């Protein structure tokens, strides 16, 4: 058994309570590599922001769970080296779909886990979530649950269509499971293709696709049902068009890639939404920088030569999200 507190990590309980009261959201950035970890930590330290470093099932298969745990431990020490005396870093399992996966991560130093039973019938989702909560809370590990289904594809998570969270179900679900936060479905979606062209309108001035608005009416109804309860938004990358354009300019092929408008995420962050998940934007920033670098330096073959600008571009994106979208800058506890 590896206790996350021995790694210098924290759980989400205190930071979520502070975020809900303060009207901002904690960034939850997925990571698979050392460069992503470095960029996340650099951005968090420079902006004085708490941060959640997320590990998906796909990341654990790609990079190995033990390596990722030790990268998170290294992230804490790295933040201190950069001048942050008391970093607030969470190591979180994203979209755990079985009790066994959540159990394994809890036993191996994760400070927070998500059990995603959203694909199950209501009663089965409650039973699975409560089983994870009962185990996790023995070790002061926080648990995120999900009610409602997001469309889209990202790593191992896939759904053809979304099913909005039913506000009438949230009180019973939160009460019976004892979960610490709840991921809801109000129109966000996984991946870089969050909406089809048919779901969008076209801006007559720019000719670009405009996605449908998020269902804030459902969010506000859930807030009334669960006042002060931490709410989570998955699938919240904005898919920056400048990064998409750079990728396409230098040999990529990402037609009609579209994300969640940042002004809608800013509005959500001011509500009970205290955790906003961002993954695809990091992938786009990294890929755009690498494609550009190879086009400009076709003679380069040292990974450090092209991963350095990729790391810098991700850091730039993370800082932008923290400061201009989520509002978590300057929120580290003194």
């Amino acid at each position: 058994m590896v206790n996350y507190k021995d790694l210098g990590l924290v759980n989400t309980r205190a930071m979520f309570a502070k975020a809900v009261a303060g009207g901002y959201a904690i960034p939850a950035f997925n990571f698979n590599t050392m460069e992503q970890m470095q960029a996340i930590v650099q951005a968090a330290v420079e902006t004085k922001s708490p941060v959640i470093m997320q590990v998906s099932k796909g990341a654990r298969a790609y990079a190995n769970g033990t390596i990722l745990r030790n990268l998170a431990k290294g992230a804490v020490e790295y933040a201190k080296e950069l001048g942050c005396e008391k970093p607030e870093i969470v190591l979180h399992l994203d979209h755990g779909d079985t009790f066994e996966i959540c159990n394994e991560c809890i036993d191996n130093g994760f400070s927070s886990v998500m059990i995603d039973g959203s694909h199950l019938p209501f009663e089965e989702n409650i039973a699975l979530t409560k089983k994870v909560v009962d185990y996790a809370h023995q070790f002061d590990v926080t648990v995120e649950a999900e009610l409602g289904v997001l469309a889209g594809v990202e790593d191992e998570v896939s759904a053809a269509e979304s099913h909005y969270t039913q506000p009438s179900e949230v009180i019973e679900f939160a009460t019976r499971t004892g979960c610490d936060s709840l991921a809801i479905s109000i129109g966000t979606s996984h991946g870089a293709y969050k909406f089809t062209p048919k779901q969008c309108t076209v801006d007559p001035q720019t000719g670009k696709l405009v996605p449908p608005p998020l269902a804030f009416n459902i969010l506000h109804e859930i807030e009334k049902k669960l006042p002060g309860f931490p709410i989570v938004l998955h699938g919240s990358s904005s898919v920056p068009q400048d990064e998409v354009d750079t990728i396409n300019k230098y040999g990529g092929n990402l037609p009609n890639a579209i994300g969640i408008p940042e002004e809608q995420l800013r509005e959500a962050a001011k509500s009970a939404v205290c955790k906003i998940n961002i993954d695809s934007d990091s992938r786009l920033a990294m890929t755009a920088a690498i494609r550009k670098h190879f086009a400009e330096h076709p003679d380069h073959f040292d990974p450090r030569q092209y991963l350095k600008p990729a790391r810098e571009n991700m850091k730039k994106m993370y800082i932008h999200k923290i400061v201009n979208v989520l509002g978590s800058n300057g929120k580290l506890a003194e």
Side-chain angles (χ1 to χ4, degrees), residues 23-25 186 213-220 223 233 260-274 276 324-327:
Y24 61 90
I186 59 169
L214 299 180
F216 280 102
N217 59 317
I218 293 177
L219 171 59
H220 297 326
E223 287 181 296
L233 285 188
I260 308 299
E262 289 187 341
E263 59 269 21
Q264 294 190 42
L265 295 176
R266 276 192 288 270
E267 182 179 346
K270 294 175 183 178
S271 69
V273 173
C274 62
I276 291 182
N324 299 312
V325 181
L326 308 180

Side-chain angles (χ1 to χ4, degrees), residues 16-34:
F16 280 1
K18 187 178 176 183
V20 172
Y24 61 90
I26 308 295
F29 298 132
N30 288 67
F31 79 110
N32 306 264
T33 69
M34 180 186 74

Side-chain angles (χ1 to χ4, degrees), residues 33-43 78 282 285-287 289-290 303-319:
T33 69
M34 180 186 74
E35 288 77 19
Q36 285 177 307
M37 180 274 280
Q38 290 172 316
I40 291 169
V41 173
Q42 290 170 9
Y78 183 38
S282 173
M286 188 176 202
T287 300
I290 291 173
R304 293 170 296 184
Q305 292 173 312
Y306 56 85
L307 289 176
K308 183 177 180 180
R311 184 176 62 196
E312 288 300 311
N313 205 35
M314 287 189 291
K315 174 186 171 183
K316 177 183 174 183
M317 186 275 296
Y318 292 139
I319 289 176

Side-chain angles (χ1 to χ4, degrees), residues 51-70:
V51 70
I52 296 168
M53 296 177 60
Q54 298 198 144
V55 173
S56 67
K57 184 177 179 181
R60 293 175 73 238
Y62 172 79
N64 179 272
T66 301
I67 289 175
L68 291 169
R69 180 192 75 216
N70 282 286

Side-chain angles (χ1 to χ4, degrees), residues 165-180:
T165 302
Q166 298 299 312
S168 60
E169 296 178 339
V170 296
I171 295 177
E172 181 181 2
F173 185 88
T175 302
R176 290 176 59 189
T177 63
C179 63
D180 300 286

